[in-house]
């Protein structure tokens, strides 16, 4: 692979110190105190598990330090850990050369591309970029000085017990990185992405890591799938999946239970968009729209909305606490064919027959609950919806049987 070298200027040779690794002679360390304009020359790379968020408190606090006490930034900030192919310090020239892969950013996540760049300190680097990008504004103040930050360079081989992925995960756990971000970094969702793509769902619409502003989130997709694990919920409705997306993620990432999700891959797009379909159909006139708009769990919109990734429009936004028990009820229509679930009968045909009954169940339960969220936790509501769908499917099957034998 081609490489490129980034040259950084050191203000003082005492600002740069080579360290020996205590256990691995093939791993090399360099501690450097660098001014912001030199740090900004570095390439962010692909080692960090999540993009930075400018809306979070640590980011705002760092900017406040830059503005109010820039001379103390390197004392208050824990700095950046940067992975590179190699580094070389020329103390005569006061120059630090950092060598990294030379490839376009769009290839960073490809298989076989080595991890390099910022392993920890992504928010710090974003602050550096922001300050350097507004350098004229900052430097106009006579009392302001350029801040420094600590950069810890690492190169060479890692020991088998401390792989790059393990190191990055451990570093970022202290920053409370969410588990799904770590899972994405470790490529846990690759099979899920492939299934969504096969079904025609654009995975570019889905956030698989923190701080990605996209219309769908991997946690809600897994939550919806978890509600359709038909064999798992034979005795107890999946209300627990509404209450905890984290529990749904645990089921997906556990090697012993993940195959249950794989069974849903051939119907995955129907499953994850079922709530939007129901919302659209209820608002289209299958039920009394005047009473629909008065429900606590329903919010009328000024104009129809369409969620990206679906073809379903609606003038009503219905809370998931009301929709998910209805949508999940259609797991009763699933049957195994080999190692994959298929629809026993088309779910949209069944919904057309039982929409009014499902709506009545929602209205009745809404009268009995004080808050919308209680709907999603009401096991009885989940059970009633499932019974309605199952009875409708049986009735339709019997009608077809009688018609075929008439």
């Amino acid at each position: 692979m081609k490489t490129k070298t980034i040259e950084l200027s050191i203000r003082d040779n005492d600002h740069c110190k080579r360290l020996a690794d205590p256990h691995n002679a093939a791993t090399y360390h360099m501690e450097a105190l660098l001014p912001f304009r030199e740090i900004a020359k570095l390439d962010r790379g692909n080692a960090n598990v999540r993009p930075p968020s400018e809306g979070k408190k640590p980011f705002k606090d760092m900017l406040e330090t830059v503005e109010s006490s820039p001379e103390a930034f390197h004392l208050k900030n824990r700095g950046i850990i940067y992975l590179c192919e190699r580094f070389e310090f020329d103390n005569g020239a006061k120059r630090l050369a950092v060598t990294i892969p030379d490839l376009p950013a769009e290839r960073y996540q490809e298989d076989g591309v080595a991890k390099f760049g910022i392993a920890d300190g992504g928010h710090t680097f974003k602050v550096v970029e922001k300050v350097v990008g507004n350098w004229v504004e900052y430097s106009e103040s006579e009392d302001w000085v350029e801040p420094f930050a600590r950069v810890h360079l690492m190169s060479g081989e890692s020991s088998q017990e401390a792989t790059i992925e393990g190191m990055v995960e451990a570093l970022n756990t202290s920053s409370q990185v969410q588990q799904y971000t770590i899972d994405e970094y470790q490529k846990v969702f690759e099979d899920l992405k492939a299934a969504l793509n096969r079904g025609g769902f654009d995975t570019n619409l889905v956030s698989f890591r923190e701080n990605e502003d996209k219309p769908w989130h991997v946690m809600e997709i897994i939550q919806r799938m978890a509600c359709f694990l038909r064999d798992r919920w034979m005795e107890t409705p999946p209300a627990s999946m509404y209450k905890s997306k984290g529990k749904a993620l645990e089921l997906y990432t556990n090697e012993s239970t993940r195959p249950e999700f794989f069974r849903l891959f051939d119907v995955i797009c129907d499953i994850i968009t079922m709530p939007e379909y129901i919302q659209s159909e209820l608002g289209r006139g299958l039920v009394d729209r005047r009473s629909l708009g008065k429900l606590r769990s329903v919010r009328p919109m000024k104009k129809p909305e369409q969620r990206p990734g679906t073809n379903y429009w609606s003038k009503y936004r219905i809370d998931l606490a009301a929709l998910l028990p209805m949508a999940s009820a259609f797991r009763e229509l699933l049957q195994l064919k080999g190692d994959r679930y298929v629809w026993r009968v088309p779910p949209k045909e069944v919904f057309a027959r039982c929409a009014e009954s499902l709506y009545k169940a929602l209205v009745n339960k809404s009268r009995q609950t004080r808050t919308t969220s209680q709907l999603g936790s009401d096991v009885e509501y989940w059970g009633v919806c499932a019974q309605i769908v199952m009875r409708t499917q049986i009735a339709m099957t019997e009608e077809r049987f009688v018609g075929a034998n008439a």
Side-chain angles (χ1 to χ4, degrees):
M1 180 182 295
K2 292 175 56 180
T3 61
K4 63 181 179 181
T5 299
I6 302 170
E7 293 192 354
L8 309 176
S9 296
I10 306 296
R11 295 280 179 87
D12 191 301
N13 286 337
D14 288 339
H15 293 172
C16 204
K17 177 70 173 178
R18 185 184 296 271
L19 301 173
D21 192 282
H23 294 293
N24 190 347
T27 298
Y28 306 98
H29 303 263
M30 173 73 78
E31 285 275 351
L33 286 171
L34 296 172
F36 270 27
R37 282 178 292 180
E38 296 303 310
I39 295 173
K41 296 177 182 178
L42 294 171
D43 190 318
R44 177 176 292 276
N46 63 359
N48 202 270
V49 297
R50 62 178 175 182
S53 172
E54 296 187 23
K56 290 193 173 181
K57 188 175 184 298
F59 185 90
K60 295 177 180 179
D61 289 346
M62 282 189 270
L63 277 181
E64 171 61 27
T65 300
V66 166
E67 294 170 3
S68 62
S69 53
E71 72 283 353
F73 188 89
H74 64 286
L75 301 175
K76 295 181 177 181
N77 184 269
R78 70 182 187 183
I80 294 168
I81 294 182
Y82 196 87
L83 307 180
C84 58
E85 185 167 313
R86 64 181 179 272
F87 57 80
E88 182 179 354
F89 179 47
D90 183 340
N91 58 7
K94 295 183 181 178
R95 186 189 65 200
L96 178 59
V98 181
T99 301
I100 59 174
D102 183 14
L103 71 168
E106 58 268 20
R107 292 189 53 201
Y108 283 176
Q109 302 306 321
E110 291 181 4
D111 291 340
V113 175
K115 300 297 182 185
F116 75 98
I118 297 170
D120 188 42
H123 283 84
T124 298
F125 188 72
K126 186 64 177 178
V127 168
V128 170
E129 289 182 315
K130 191 174 184 70
V131 171
V132 174
N134 294 282
W135 189 256
V136 173
E137 179 183 340
Y138 281 99
S139 60
E140 284 178 347
S141 174
E142 293 183 1
D143 298 331
W144 190 81
V145 296
E146 182 174 6
F148 278 64
R150 179 178 62 85
V151 177
H152 184 113
L153 298 170
M154 289 182 61
S155 70
E157 300 176 0
S158 295
S159 65
Q160 293 182 352
E161 294 78 21
T163 62
I164 294 297
E165 286 186 5
M167 183 189 70
V168 172
E169 177 178 345
L171 288 169
N172 282 275
T173 298
S174 64
S175 300
Q176 297 181 337
V177 173
Q178 296 296 313
Q179 183 58 48
Y180 66 84
T181 302
I182 299 294
D183 293 332
E184 164 65 3
Y185 187 78
Q186 296 176 337
K187 300 186 181 299
V188 172
F189 302 126
E190 295 307 298
D191 290 328
L192 175 61
K193 292 178 184 179
L196 289 168
N197 285 325
R198 286 196 301 271
F201 194 91
D202 185 1
T203 54
N204 291 318
L205 299 174
V206 184
S207 296
F208 289 94
R209 301 186 300 170
E210 292 167 79
N211 305 330
E212 292 181 332
D213 185 16
K214 297 183 179 182
W216 288 81
H217 198 289
V218 65
M219 290 290 280
E220 68 174 325
I221 288 176
I222 289 176
Q223 177 193 42
R224 295 183 182 195
M225 292 178 69
C227 291
F228 277 80
L229 302 179
R230 189 173 185 276
D231 293 343
R232 177 169 289 273
W233 311 118
M234 296 292 285
E235 303 294 333
T236 305
S240 59
M241 296 296 97
Y242 167 77
K243 292 186 284 188
S244 176
K245 292 178 183 176
K247 289 182 179 179
L249 180 63
E250 288 177 8
L251 288 176
Y252 184 86
T253 56
N254 189 302
E255 291 186 4
S256 64
T257 52
R258 192 184 306 172
E260 296 180 44
F261 288 83
F262 291 175
R263 295 173 186 171
L264 297 168
F265 279 176
D266 286 357
V267 292
I268 187 171
C269 291
D270 291 337
I271 286 171
I272 65 173
T273 61
M274 185 67 73
E276 282 72 27
Y277 171 73
I278 294 174
Q279 176 178 261
S280 175
E281 290 297 294
L282 291 180
R284 197 168 59 86
L286 288 183
V287 299
D288 184 353
R289 284 185 287 191
R290 287 177 298 178
S291 67
L292 175 67
K294 294 178 181 179
L295 289 178
R296 187 188 302 114
S297 57
V298 180
R299 193 173 98 189
M301 309 304 295
K302 292 183 179 179
K303 59 182 181 180
E305 293 182 340
Q306 178 194 34
R307 188 173 191 185
T310 77
N311 296 317
Y312 308 131
W313 291 82
S314 180
K315 284 194 68 174
Y316 298 88
R317 189 178 295 174
I318 305 177
D319 197 278
L320 193 64
L323 287 173
L324 196 55
M326 287 190 200
S328 173
F330 287 83
R331 69 185 181 278
E332 299 294 340
L333 308 182
L334 293 171
Q335 65 178 4
L336 273 176
K337 187 175 182 181
D339 61 351
R340 291 287 189 269
Y341 278 121
V342 297
W343 295 113
R344 184 180 285 110
V345 291
K348 292 180 180 179
E349 291 183 15
V350 175
F351 179 77
R353 288 281 295 269
C354 66
E356 188 172 349
S357 296
L358 288 171
Y359 178 65
K360 287 180 179 178
L362 170 60
V363 172
N364 291 336
K365 276 299 173 184
S366 296
R367 292 169 179 164
Q368 300 170 19
T369 55
R370 294 182 179 179
T371 64
T372 297
S373 63
Q374 288 179 328
L375 286 168
S377 304
D378 192 321
V379 174
E380 184 177 332
Y381 176 46
W382 288 76
V384 168
C385 289
Q387 291 171 11
I388 290 171
V389 170
M390 185 165 50
R391 287 198 300 266
T392 303
Q393 181 262 318
I394 292 173
M396 291 174 65
T397 302
E398 290 177 348
E399 290 172 8
R400 291 176 180 177
F401 178 79
V402 172
N405 291 276

